[in-house]
Amino acid sequence: MKATLDLSRYHRLLEAFDPIKRLGKVTEVIGLTVVVRGIRSSIGEVCEIHTPGRVEPVEAEVVGFRENQALVMPLGELGGIAPGCRVIPTERALTVRVSERLLGRVVDGLGRPLDGEALPPEGEEYALDGPPPNPLERKRIREVLETGVKAVDGLLTCGKGQRIGIFAGSGVGKSTLLGMIARHSAADVNVIALIGERGREVLEFIEKDLGPEGLKKSVVVVATSDQPALLRIKGAFLATAVAEYFRDAGKDVMLMMDSITRFCLAQREVGLAVGEPPTTRGYPPSVFALLPKLLERAGNAGWGSITGLYTVLVDADDLNEPVSDAVRGILDGHIVLSRQLAAKNHFPAIDVLNSVSRLMPEITTEEHGFLAGRLKKLLAAYRQSEDLINIGAYQKGSNPEVDEALKYYDQIQEFLQQSVEESFTFQETLAALEEIFK
């Protein structure tokens, strides 16, 4: 008796197959959104808008639907798009081609080169909107990742695969601190995403803060503030996809994103443009839904790691504003930069008392933890009585902890400060921490 062939799989494929290529037409352009009639597409699919007078079509992504029409948002400029323009779905989502030869290069939010040289044709295709690692496949964080910055390594120790936020107002030294870590950290590869930055600051960061030695082991992704909101969002996801490639190759990757706040502002533009209601201080719900999809992709997986450093531009120095609060709840620690310390020429302006690394107790020795705790305790005692000390009203002997803080204050301040050019190994940092209390 002959076995019956199961052809149900092929039947399903034939039913899903559409032999007719459907073309659409632009019917309206409303703000950032282009309304298209006549195409059958899905969220995240890339379409090509053909405009008169242009050889190359404008790429756009489907971001929503309304009344049997697709809402698409261009990944380039809106100029030239008019009612009647042809729209062709490509049946693909955005990807990036990644290889080792991408190191030392500067690309835009879609992976196109900005440094004047063509990208290598070889490499693997990675989806921009990839899924986070399976929670049960994430290795626990047990190894220290050296940053070369004493205040971070000594008091806010980071582990390989940890995600840390750098919270600060504008002009307090976020980019400078990122540049120091990029040059001196023990990571194999840096992936640096400059999202929503001023165009003037990009070359300045690459040449001054990152430097030639830092650029050699880095991939820089740039989506400046003048570019479309969707391109800024894709820049953040593209940088994460590039970091995932190097992690999958077994490398320890440092993913730096400056800034996550501008990423959220870009998503706010997109959300409001497609009709989402503003809820929390003008941010639509999609902003807070998208944050974990981006941030959870960093971490350990397989045999490599992505250590994430995300800067948060704190609005009016308010650490409890919506984006800061949401990001702090997702990440594994936060480093707060203080405007008051920066005004005193204290760099890096890290407020160690308001900063925390949630994984530090698990990756440091008991002695290291004791010394770091002692330093913080003495610094807190000094801060509490600082006004009395400054006006000469504090009487020695009134408080033993303040007396001890006064004894070690100069050594503590020397430990917490570091010039941009200086770098310290983890062992040198531990030795300097021990030296304070000798």
Side-chain angles (χ1 to χ4, degrees), residues 125-384:
E125 293 283 342
Y126 269 65
L128 265 63
D129 299 326
N134 184 321
L136 298 182
E137 293 176 1
R138 289 180 184 263
K139 293 184 299 180
R140 290 187 62 184
I141 297 170
R142 300 188 183 278
E143 291 183 64
V144 170
L145 181 72
E146 298 179 28
T147 65
V149 180
K150 285 187 295 181
V152 175
D153 288 344
L155 307 176
L156 306 164
T157 313
C158 299
K160 291 179 181 178
Q162 189 171 349
R163 299 159 306 160
I164 295 278
I166 300 177
F167 292 73
S170 55
V172 185
K174 298 185 301 300
S175 298
T176 304
L177 180 59
L178 284 183
M180 288 173 69
I181 295 172
R183 285 198 306 276
H184 305 308
S185 81
D188 300 320
V189 174
N190 298 315
V191 180
I192 303 167
L194 303 177
I195 307 300
E197 282 292 306
R198 305 172 187 89
R200 172 189 64 81
E201 293 180 339
V202 173
L203 189 61
E204 184 179 315
F205 175 83
I206 292 170
E207 292 184 349
K208 180 185 169 187
D209 296 329
L210 189 58
E213 57 181 299
L215 184 59
K216 281 180 188 175
K217 65 171 188 176
S218 303
V219 180
V220 183
V221 180
V222 176
T224 51
S225 58
D226 61 298
Q227 293 181 319
L230 196 57
L231 198 57
R232 283 175 266 150
I233 294 168
K234 294 306 174 187
F237 281 104
L238 182 135
T240 306
V242 171
E244 286 171 337
Y245 165 81
F246 288 106
R247 177 183 63 188
D248 294 346
K251 297 185 184 295
D252 293 319
V253 183
M254 179 72 80
L255 171 61
M256 301 178 176
M257 195 168 293
D258 186 15
S259 72
I260 203 72
T261 307
R262 294 190 176 110
F263 166 81
C264 291
L265 290 172
Q267 179 58 30
R268 180 170 72 174
E269 288 182 44
V270 172
L272 294 176
V274 297
E276 276 193 85
T279 52
T280 311
R281 289 203 198 174
Y283 287 98
S286 62
V287 171
F288 304 103
L290 200 61
L291 269 174
K293 290 182 180 178
L294 176 70
L295 300 177
E296 284 290 347
R297 286 170 65 181
N300 291 336
W303 51 87
S305 69
I306 299 176
T307 304
L309 276 180
Y310 302 91
T311 70
V312 181
L313 188 61
V314 181
D315 186 21
D317 292 340
D318 177 13
L319 290 171
N320 295 314
E321 57 94 23
V323 170
S324 301
D325 202 39
V327 172
R328 195 165 55 242
I330 297 169
L331 299 181
D332 309 314
H334 52 274
I335 297 171
V336 177
L337 302 188
S338 163
R339 194 175 297 279
Q340 287 74 24
L341 290 175
K344 295 176 183 176
N345 202 33
H346 180 295
F347 289 104
I350 299 173
D351 184 351
V352 294
L353 297 181
N354 284 318
S355 305
V356 67
S357 169
R358 295 180 184 174
L359 292 170
M360 182 176 173
E362 297 183 27
I363 57 176
T364 54
T365 63
E366 190 176 337
E367 183 186 2
H368 181 181
F370 172 77
L371 290 172
R374 187 180 178 192
L375 187 150
K376 288 182 178 180
K377 189 177 180 180
L378 294 180
L379 190 58
Y382 182 91
R383 291 262 182 95
Q384 194 172 5

Side-chain angles (χ1 to χ4, degrees), residues 389-410:
I389 294 166
N390 288 340
I391 63 173
Y394 177 75
Q395 296 295 319
K396 193 174 180 181
S398 304
N399 186 325
E401 276 192 4
V402 177
D403 292 341
E404 192 179 10
L406 285 167
K407 177 182 175 183
Y408 294 115
Y409 184 72
D410 289 340

Side-chain angles (χ1 to χ4, degrees), residues 96-131:
V96 58
R97 188 179 293 276
V98 199
S99 71
E100 292 278 346
R101 292 180 62 186
L102 203 58
L103 289 172
R105 302 300 303 273
V106 182
V107 298
D108 70 2
L110 296 177
R112 299 172 298 203
L114 290 176
D115 49 13
E117 295 179 25
L119 291 175
E122 71 273 8
E124 293 184 45
E125 293 283 342
Y126 269 65
L128 265 63
D129 299 326

